[in-house]
Amino acid sequence: MIEVKNLYFTYPSGVEALRNVSLEIRKGEFVAIMGQNGAGKTTLIKHFNGLLKPSKGEVLVDGVNTESVSVAKLARKVGFVFQNPDNQLFSETVEDEISFALKNFGFKDTPLRRRVTWALKLLGLTEYRKASPFMLSGGERKRVALASVLAWDPEVVVMDEPTIGQDYSQKEKLRQFIVQLNMQGKTVVVVTHDVEFVSECNPRVILMSGGEILADGFGKNVLTNIELLTQASIVPPQVTEIFMGIKDLGFPVDIIDLYEAKELLMKRLGRK
Amino acid sequence: MSVFDGLKFRRVSSPIHMLDPRIKFLYVCSIFVVAIVFFELLPLLVLFLFQIPFVILARVQREWVRSLRGAAFLASIIFGTNILFRFMYAGYSLTANDIEYASAMTMRFIALVESFSIFFLTTSPDHLGLALEKSHIPYEFCFAFTTAVRFVPVLAEEAQTIMDAQKARGLELEKGNFLKRIRNYIPVLIPLIISAIRRSLELAEAMEARAWGAIEKRTNLYSLKMKRNDYLLVLVSIFVLIIGIFVRFYVSIPTLSNLLGF
Amino acid sequence: MAIVKAQSLTYTYPNAEKPALDDVSFEIQKGEFVILTGPSGCGKTSLCRCLNGLIPHFYQGELKGKILVNKYNIVDHPIHELAKHVGLVFQNPENQLFALSVEKDVAFGLENLGIPRKEMIERVDCALKTAGIEDLAERAPHELSGGQQQRVAIASIIAMNPEILVLDEPTSFLDPLGAKRIFKVIGKLNESMDMTVILVEHRLDLAAKYADHVIVMDKGKIALDGKPRKVLNSDETRMLGVGIPKATRLYQLLDEEKALHSRQVPVTADEMGKLVRGALRA
């Protein structure tokens, strides 16, 4: 679905943000791109819908080189949810906000209204249809921003730091929502440095540092590799930390899931 | 690349950076006056060369070259139009003097850019704000000035993010006729304005939390005290001014072409 | 000695229907490290604003009940007077730095208080060192990462030498490593300088180990208030949607199965590791 080949990107200021990045994201995959702030995560995903064009190398979306098409065209396929909903909300009502992109993509009348209704329902915002987005709480504003992107039903959904500023139960709801989206066949790409969140979702993990890809694989393998994590300045999930501390007792260290951890410990502790 | 790139302050410690910004401003003014009283290439060239030691002392050569390079475009326009006017004025012919005159005008511009870039490259906005304070301008204004400078890069970045966010929702800023294009910017302006309002509210809270307005007479972390070098620069500036005016009125300045014997 | 004491504190923002704080009473002792948590919109931020007088002086609205901070009734003292005793660090690091250099920013509060220049320089240096950012003294705020900016904000508060340090979700925009560093700095302030710390936080995984006291709020009321191990281990906390440390959660799961039990409920990975080690040895 998305193919990145030997991508280099240098900002006009001269900062080299990406160095020889290659990766492939297949249809229906769930990918988390992780790394410290400044590792090049956001720069990378901005190539997926053409907001940035490669300095060298190429990016193909559904087989099409991003160099040759407009952002608006690519956006139709790759929906992009920004970190801060306040960077995009501007309409008087939630309904108008969600219609904005649809109108830009040429939807009219009944299909437009049907999609707005669908998106509102998807994110549990139906009762706020006529409300002003600015009067909503932070979590609700985030959902409006998400609805305004999902409304045009893009094949790929890219989210930049979706968990930032969210409390635990909001994160939990978001996690369930993302997993559900992915199960319905959407390709989901999440950029985040929230290890606990990733350890709960268990997606494919791409670890970045200094504009390069350090590792690409199962969360279970990447997030438990201390050497890699140190290099990327990432803290391991707490469950992994526990197992690292008791490695000498014959426990494996590649554990990120809470329930797997419980089963393992039960086996040993239960036997006594 | 614009002229402004060459004016961005970078922290270096040098005798020039340590100078009192007020005195540096005095220096810029005297260079300015001298530059505009001369129409001949030679003195302007001298003025240009005279400032190079300052650049070297301040260790901002690289930025300085960049600002000159940034000014090159404007300089060539100045040169071109001067040549053109001279050319047309003299009945479509050109002499060495005309070229020299055009070069002088260009050199004047370059000497001015040079002095401004020395000033801005070696004066932190902080010190500029401080100089304002010490000039008995009410503190609120000085604070507004420095805070505004502080938030310029922040807001520029935010504007870019907002534009990206709306483009990602299919907004095409360059589409349509003139009026439509202006309207295209509404989805960018509204979030920007709202966020600016939110920011100012948060800033006000943070100011309160740090005892804003506790007493009438605030103190200041930085102090501006005239040191030896400052007095020296005052002397240099006055000296430049006097010499400049003296030469203007009492010395006949040869043209370069005469000197070289054209 | 109670350094903060609230009695039936109720506050309603102007034009709001429901109170943001609803009959809140609690006590905080001098030198405690308190974590204040709870779902978004539960009133944590409003409570922070009461502690330095932003409520009611800045926000107006209707305040009932009483809150004493360092024995001052906040209603009777202006914010700038309370600021000497209570320092408040906000969520967004970007919007609490005004100056063009770090040191100037750290000095801002001292300038407002009219501290003589010589003393100011000493206090600024000391604050920068405590926050571990002395090498950034002359940098401009926009050149710094979010974590560094937040440490500047903390330094600018500690320069004012308050007895109480209040931090309103200081790490929510930071990556885990940046957050860890912030917690370390405030842990040190609490330990070695005996500053009372009130930290509003969702990231209990990283912060829990510093706390001596946890308060959980919900819908403007205090839901739980007590020792960290007790509060974090209670079902009620989890039901409110508070993200308890994974170590604690793992312990709970094993405790339910009667596989592991301890009077000392673990709140960090280390403690959990030790507990398992002990249980296997026994």
Side-chain angles (χ1 to χ4, degrees), chain B residues 11 125-126 143 150 153-154 199 202-203 205-212 214-215 218-223, chain C residues 49 54 59 79 83 94-101 103-105 108 111-112 114-115 117 120 138 156:
Chain B
R11 262 170 223 278
D126 249 352
F143 180 76
R150 145 91 178 100
V154 177
R199 264 182 213 286
E202 285 184 22
L203 272 173
E205 269 190 280
M207 283 161 65
E208 294 279 350
R210 288 208 248 150
W212 171 261
I215 56 165
R218 316 172 77 244
T219 46
N220 204 314
L221 175 68
Y222 299 134
S223 76
Chain C
R49 286 173 179 155
L54 281 172
Y59 279 94
I79 303 172
E94 210 164 53
N95 292 345
Q96 46 186 324
L97 305 180
F98 333 94
L100 296 156
S101 73
E103 55 182 2
K104 181 80 175 161
D105 225 303
F108 182 75
E111 292 178 347
N112 286 333
I115 307 291
R117 194 165 164 261
M120 190 181 329
E138 297 198 334
S156 61

Side-chain angles (χ1 to χ4, degrees), chain C residues 169-195:
Chain C
E169 296 190 42
T171 69
S172 64
F173 291 115
L174 310 185
D175 54 34
L177 207 69
K180 238 181 161 172
R181 288 201 188 113
I182 299 282
F183 294 143
K184 218 179 240 166
V185 169
I186 43 189
K188 196 170 76 183
L189 283 170
N190 174 248
E191 194 116 305
S192 59
M193 296 170 80
D194 205 31
M195 212 178 259

Side-chain angles (χ1 to χ4, degrees), chain B residues 93-107:
Chain B
S93 70
L94 263 187
T95 64
N97 271 337
D98 294 327
I99 297 178
E100 188 168 333
Y101 179 81
S103 314
M105 292 303 103
T106 314
M107 188 47 76

Side-chain angles (χ1 to χ4, degrees), chain A residues 165-168, chain C residues 37-40 44 169 200-205 243:
Chain A
Q166 303 280 297
D167 70 23
Y168 185 76
Chain C
T37 189
S40 297
K44 297 168 302 207
E169 296 190 42
V200 175
E201 191 54 61
H202 291 304
R203 271 193 174 130
L204 301 183
D205 279 323

Side-chain angles (χ1 to χ4, degrees), chain C residues 14-270:
Chain C
N15 307 322
E17 285 163 23
K18 273 188 283 177
L21 295 172
D22 188 1
D23 194 21
V24 167
S25 304
F26 64 93
E27 260 186 35
I28 288 170
Q29 306 302 319
K30 192 172 165 21
E32 269 188 328
F33 191 121
V34 185
I35 288 184
L36 178 59
T37 189
S40 297
C42 69
K44 297 168 302 207
T45 296
S46 303
L47 188 57
C48 290
R49 286 173 179 155
C50 282
L51 293 169
N52 77 339
L54 281 172
I55 286 176
H57 301 298
F58 184 81
Y59 279 94
Q60 313 290 323
E62 193 194 353
L63 187 75
K64 277 187 278 187
K66 202 161 99 177
I67 178 162
L68 297 177
V69 178
N70 214 10
K71 295 200 179 118
Y72 297 96
N73 187 336
I74 57 155
V75 180
D76 304 330
H77 297 267
I79 303 172
H80 60 75
E81 220 177 293
L82 292 166
K84 285 184 243 175
H85 307 282
V86 187
L88 183 49
V89 175
F90 299 85
Q91 183 174 23
N92 190 343
E94 210 164 53
N95 292 345
Q96 46 186 324
L97 305 180
F98 333 94
L100 296 156
S101 73
V102 167
E103 55 182 2
K104 181 80 175 161
D105 225 303
V106 175
F108 182 75
L110 303 177
E111 292 178 347
N112 286 333
L113 293 173
I115 307 291
R117 194 165 164 261
K118 206 167 152 238
E119 186 189 340
M120 190 181 329
I121 293 172
E122 278 165 26
R123 278 165 77 169
V124 167
D125 281 347
C126 178
L128 288 171
K129 256 184 219 129
T130 314
I133 48 172
E134 59 267 47
D135 51 326
L136 303 178
E138 297 198 334
R139 297 274 289 278
H142 76 267
E143 301 169 343
L144 310 180
S145 71
Q148 287 171 329
Q149 285 184 354
Q150 197 59 285
R151 275 188 282 161
V152 174
I154 292 175
S156 61
I157 291 297
I158 50 189
M160 294 169 75
N161 253 336
E163 289 94 348
I164 306 169
L165 177 63
V166 185
L167 306 103
D168 188 4
E169 296 190 42
T171 69
S172 64
F173 291 115
L174 310 185
D175 54 34
L177 207 69
K180 238 181 161 172
R181 288 201 188 113
I182 299 282
F183 294 143
K184 218 179 240 166
V185 169
I186 43 189
K188 196 170 76 183
L189 283 170
N190 174 248
E191 194 116 305
S192 59
M193 296 170 80
D194 205 31
M195 212 178 259
T196 307
V197 172
I198 301 170
L199 170 67
V200 175
E201 191 54 61
H202 291 304
R203 271 193 174 130
L204 301 183
D205 279 323
L206 300 175
K209 68 171 168 189
Y210 298 101
D212 334 285
H213 182 172
V214 174
I215 298 176
V216 182
M217 289 185 70
D218 185 40
K219 300 192 184 101
K221 290 178 188 290
I222 296 218
L224 291 110
D225 179 352
K227 291 272 162 220
R229 291 174 208 283
K230 204 164 154 218
V231 173
L232 293 178
N233 192 32
S234 88
D235 285 338
E236 216 182 331
T237 304
R238 199 160 49 84
M239 292 310 166
L240 282 173
V242 173
I244 60 172
K246 286 275 157 62
T248 311
R249 185 69 194 123
L250 184 57
Y251 165 81
Q252 287 176 347
L253 290 174
L254 291 165
D255 189 25
E256 273 165 31
E257 304 275 352
K258 308 249 176 297
L260 195 63
H261 188 78
S262 165
R263 251 178 298 164
Q264 181 93 334
V265 178
V267 296
T268 66
D270 230 28

